[in-house]
Amino acid sequence: MARQQLQVLSALDAAKTQFYHFTAIVIAGMGFFTDSYDLFCISLVTKLIGRIYYYVPGSTNPGSLPPNVNAAINGVALCGTLAGQLFFGWIGDKMGRKRVYGVTLILMVVSAIASGLSFGQTPKGVVATLCFFRFWLGFGVGGDYPLSATIMSEYANKKTRGAFIAAVFAMQGFGILAGGIVSIIVASAFQAAYPALPYQTDPVGSTVPQADYVWRIILMVGAIPAALTYYWRMKMPETARYTALVARNAKQAASDMATVLNVEMEAEPEIVERLAMEPSNSYGLFSKEFLRRHGLHLLGTTSTWFFIDIAFYSQSLFQKDIFTAVGWLPSAKTMSALRETYMIARAQTIIALCGTIPGYWFTVAFIDYIGRFAIQLMGFFMMTAFMLGISIPYLPRKNTDPTAVVMYAFTFFFSNFGPNATTFVVPAEIFPARLRSTCHGISAACGKAGAIIGAFGFLYAAESPVKALDDAGYAPGIGVQNALYVLAATDFLGFLFTFLVPDAKGKSLEEMCGEVEPEEGSGVVSA
């Protein structure tokens, strides 16, 4: 027998796209803009930090971060993100999405500023301080994943819900682009004010003392968009689905959504109480009932996010070889410190413009037409194909064919017009309201575990088996070409595990998780 749907939820599902939808996208999306800026801008300045703090007098090459220091600076934020996803995912279901939504922004603002102010008498002291604050920065970033996805899914109508959630995530592309643009502007300004000769001409003078301000400014700029968004986050009402189905406050849910939708809304406390009494709305995360209903779904969302993040975060390992091969990134000793920062930022900005951002917005445009499942399946398949296309003819130090850059850009395009976006969308749609934020946080945390493996396991694995060809401080690995084969296999595993993930296209959140089933012919209030 079909169970009656709450009027407030029916109204949300059937509401026409209107101003409050776009407001929610901007408020949640600016958080993701900040998230991606903060997480990815560090890769633009690690070379500069190495030149400043790890210069070896008399060396033929500029200073560079030792392997363990490089891993710590790049990885500590990912570890913080993983912890934040689990913690804020859980707390978002216990206390409500809105109550903790501002806390994540405060953490990001304070930690971004503090990262730029990292102090220390020695290089080790500076790096230790930087790592401390970047962990807490990542912790705040991690909280934004389950909270933003859940809030957007619970505000959206069922017709365009996928596009709205994907649009929030797509702001990540603009955050990556902003990181490159800010780095270009800051590096260019300091380069013009404090010109320097290349390292091979003047090893000491190639890194001007003022360069120490450059990486700090780039990191601190990440606090600005987060601070600007805080007021609007605090003005958002709690989602009606949480208020009605989890907090069981029918009156407050109806009042909040009547204000948002500009329509009269019945409270319906009797239906809320009746729904709360049903067994299908009371099982917990570690129950047999959850395992029966959603066990395979959770395996699907965690595993696919794990595999895509291994591939996504490890792709930076071979971009240096590709950029150098086609002349986008000259040898480090032929540039000054600020020139190298500028060139790295320029190359990554081009990739963001040509591959990263278009992929995100293709997902936004098509996700509610062809579905999450089809986009994710296609994305993993194309990433596998392009990864093999790069790896099979891979000839390091000899390949000057720009085809490699084109295929490299296409792997980014199909990761974003594919699993990098859909793995964020799907966990916010297929689990019950009382466990939605928690399950999204678990899925996202598995993704970040994959990111840690991709960024650091492959950092060492990609080193040449020939010791003489390895970067200083690194042990021999399996080589870039073999590492690319492993990544292609990882993408293919993601393709296979996608078959565990259901498609929520055109269905309400309650239909997907079995909380309620709309009655045939029941009236739906439309704004």
Side-chain angles (χ1 to χ4, degrees), residues 326-392:
V326 298
W328 284 13
L329 196 61
S331 173
K333 61 185 178 183
T334 65
M335 299 181 284
S336 67
L338 294 176
R339 180 65 179 173
E340 184 179 33
T341 302
Y342 169 85
M343 295 298 288
I344 293 170
R346 189 187 72 166
Q348 293 198 14
T349 300
I350 293 171
I351 290 294
L353 280 171
C354 298
T356 305
I357 291 175
Y360 283 120
W361 290 97
F362 265 69
T363 299
V364 174
F366 293 106
I367 191 168
D368 288 312
Y369 293 96
I370 63 179
R372 295 84 166 126
F373 177 80
I375 289 176
Q376 185 162 309
L377 210 61
M378 173 198 66
F380 270 127
F381 178 81
M382 296 303 292
M383 286 180 71
T384 304
F386 282 113
M387 199 67 76
L388 289 173
I390 295 172
S391 59
I392 291 174

Side-chain angles (χ1 to χ4, degrees), residues 34-77:
T34 305
D35 295 348
S36 60
Y37 182 98
D38 288 335
L39 283 182
F40 290 96
C41 71
I42 192 69
S43 65
L44 301 172
V45 298
T46 48
K47 295 277 188 185
L48 180 59
I49 294 172
R51 284 201 186 221
I52 295 170
Y53 293 104
Y54 290 89
Y55 166 66
V56 179
S59 173
T60 57
N61 292 307
S64 61
L65 296 175
N68 61 328
V69 174
N70 189 32
I73 290 177
N74 283 285
V76 70

Side-chain angles (χ1 to χ4, degrees), residues 183-250:
S183 299
I184 288 171
I185 293 171
V186 175
S188 297
F190 274 78
Q191 202 174 352
Y194 308 101
L197 295 171
Y199 181 86
Q200 61 187 8
T201 305
D202 184 2
V204 176
S206 66
T207 305
V208 296
Q210 293 81 4
D212 195 42
Y213 294 112
V214 171
W215 68 270
R216 297 174 184 274
I217 291 170
I218 291 170
L219 295 185
M220 287 193 287
V221 167
I224 296 173
L228 293 175
T229 312
Y230 180 79
Y231 171 78
W232 299 106
R233 281 201 178 184
M234 294 300 93
K235 294 283 287 183
M236 290 179 75
E238 182 59 84
T239 70
R241 286 185 160 91
Y242 180 86
T243 305
L245 299 176
V246 183
R248 300 175 186 174
N249 189 337

Side-chain angles (χ1 to χ4, degrees), residues 493-507:
L493 285 173
F495 175 88
L496 296 178
F497 276 86
T498 295
F499 288 96
L500 297 177
V501 180
D503 197 334
K505 184 183 80 166
K507 298 177 182 178

